[in-house]
Amino acid sequence: MIPGSPPTSAAPLPRGICILGSTGSIGTQTLDIVRLFPDAFHIRSLTAHNSVDLLVEQAMEFRPECVVVSDPGGYGPLKDALQGTGIRVLAGAEHLAHASTLDSVDVVVAAVVGAAGLAPVLEAVRSGKTVALANKETLVIAGEIVRFHAERSDATIIPVDSEHSAIFQCLVGEAMDTVEELVLTASGGPFRDAPLEALASVTPEEALAHPNWSMGPKITIDSATMMNKGLEVIEARWLFGVSADRIRVVVHPQSIVHSMVTFIDGSTKAQLGVPDMKVPIQYAMTFPERWPAPHERLDWESLSKLDFSPPDLERFPCLRLAYEALHIGGSAPAVLNAANEVAVDQFLKGRISFTDISFAIEEAVGRLASPEPQDLERLMEVDDLARNLVVELNRRTHH
């Protein structure tokens, strides 16, 4: 099912849950939702990259059928810690798809950061699962392929990103041919008003200090460069089947309006709420129903104003690059994403400057992107080439 279709009936309760990336920010908040509704959700599988201690803790509490650590180095300690529990322990990224396609799994919460989430999400989609998608890179890299398989298998993809969840909620009960424009809101991050000349000397600590949201390090840096919004534009293109020229970004510092949809009669619907990821996570897990929960409410008395302004593309070149990659098509979004992942990692390690991030991405897209349609194998090759190119660019620039 593609967003905008009439709601299907939900899977019967209790629903079996797989969490890809259970030790990260979205994964741990998903488990908070499961704790709110212990009779409605049963954890069937959990995966992590290498946070073995937390994964063990989660496994002991929720007793899944299997756990996967994608870093093979974590296998020994994980196996030892879960000895005698009856929980199956697997290691290596190739086993993530096993966790996401178990017969007992109804809903896959895809919270793995980056390109690593693509293979297990695609397998879950092929298996006809409901996918609560928090991994935007899956659709950035291979949106056309994922959409094709979702339509074939009748899988349901429900976005967990607050912006796409907002659009999804605004579209329930609406026909897609009545949609004029999608409007994604952006906080503008910590450097919305910083002098342009100061951006080159921004430190990782400053870039990680997001004014509104509490997120993992990679997505927080993406928010500071506004690449996060660029990736969301590409994701929206494939999630909702709307062309790039009908997806607008506006800066909204308060992060209260999570996104909007304008319709052909001039009406605009917006979804509002406090900045809290538990609301979109829960909605994706309970769709097409809404369940009562103690999440924070908006305080209308203290909400004095809501500001909106167009994004400054000189300040945020990453947003411009994302639109350009979407217009190029083919492998361009995959190159953009891979180059960004490596550039952000290099910035966090203090190897490149904040403004070097967009420079590296522009170079990679300029050298490697092709407008020709690509199969999954070729997209993975291009992903690899882009990563190596950014590391090489950094080596040349700094030696």
Side-chain angles (χ1 to χ4, degrees), residues 174-191:
E174 302 284 358
M176 285 306 294
D177 59 7
T178 66
V179 173
E180 186 165 282
E181 188 176 56
L182 307 181
V183 184
L184 292 164
T185 57
S187 69
F191 309 125

Side-chain angles (χ1 to χ4, degrees), residues 193-207:
D193 303 316
L196 282 176
E197 60 276 11
L199 293 180
S201 56
V202 158
T203 66
E205 291 68 33
E206 290 168 330

Side-chain angles (χ1 to χ4, degrees), residues 2-3 14 54 62 90 153 155 181 211 225 251 290 301 304 314 337 342 354 363:
I2 299 301
L54 182 51
F62 292 98
L90 298 168
S153 68
E181 188 176 56
T225 64
V251 175
R290 284 188 190 272
E301 277 76 36
S304 57
E314 190 185 352
N337 178 70
V342 176
F354 184 74
E363 280 290 303

Side-chain angles (χ1 to χ4, degrees), residues 145-214:
I145 295 169
V146 173
R147 194 176 167 98
F148 169 78
H149 285 290
E151 286 169 351
R152 276 187 70 176
S153 68
D154 210 24
T156 302
I157 300 176
I158 305 173
V160 167
D161 267 348
S162 60
E163 295 81 358
H164 298 94
S165 174
I167 289 170
F168 185 86
Q169 292 180 58
C170 290
L171 288 174
V172 170
E174 302 284 358
M176 285 306 294
D177 59 7
T178 66
V179 173
E180 186 165 282
E181 188 176 56
L182 307 181
V183 184
L184 292 164
T185 57
S187 69
F191 309 125
R192 187 180 62 247
D193 303 316
L196 282 176
E197 60 276 11
L199 293 180
S201 56
V202 158
T203 66
E205 291 68 33
E206 290 168 330
L208 286 168
H210 194 280
N212 301 342
W213 294 92
S214 169

Side-chain angles (χ1 to χ4, degrees), residues 295-325:
H295 310 310
E296 191 184 343
R297 270 53 173 171
L298 280 176
D299 177 4
W300 294 103
E301 277 76 36
S302 67
L303 197 63
S304 57
K305 61 173 183 169
L306 299 173
D307 298 299
F308 302 93
S309 60
D312 176 351
L313 296 184
E314 190 185 352
R315 177 182 299 278
F316 299 117
C318 286
L319 180 57
R320 168 181 59 80
L321 292 170
Y323 270 104
E324 287 174 8

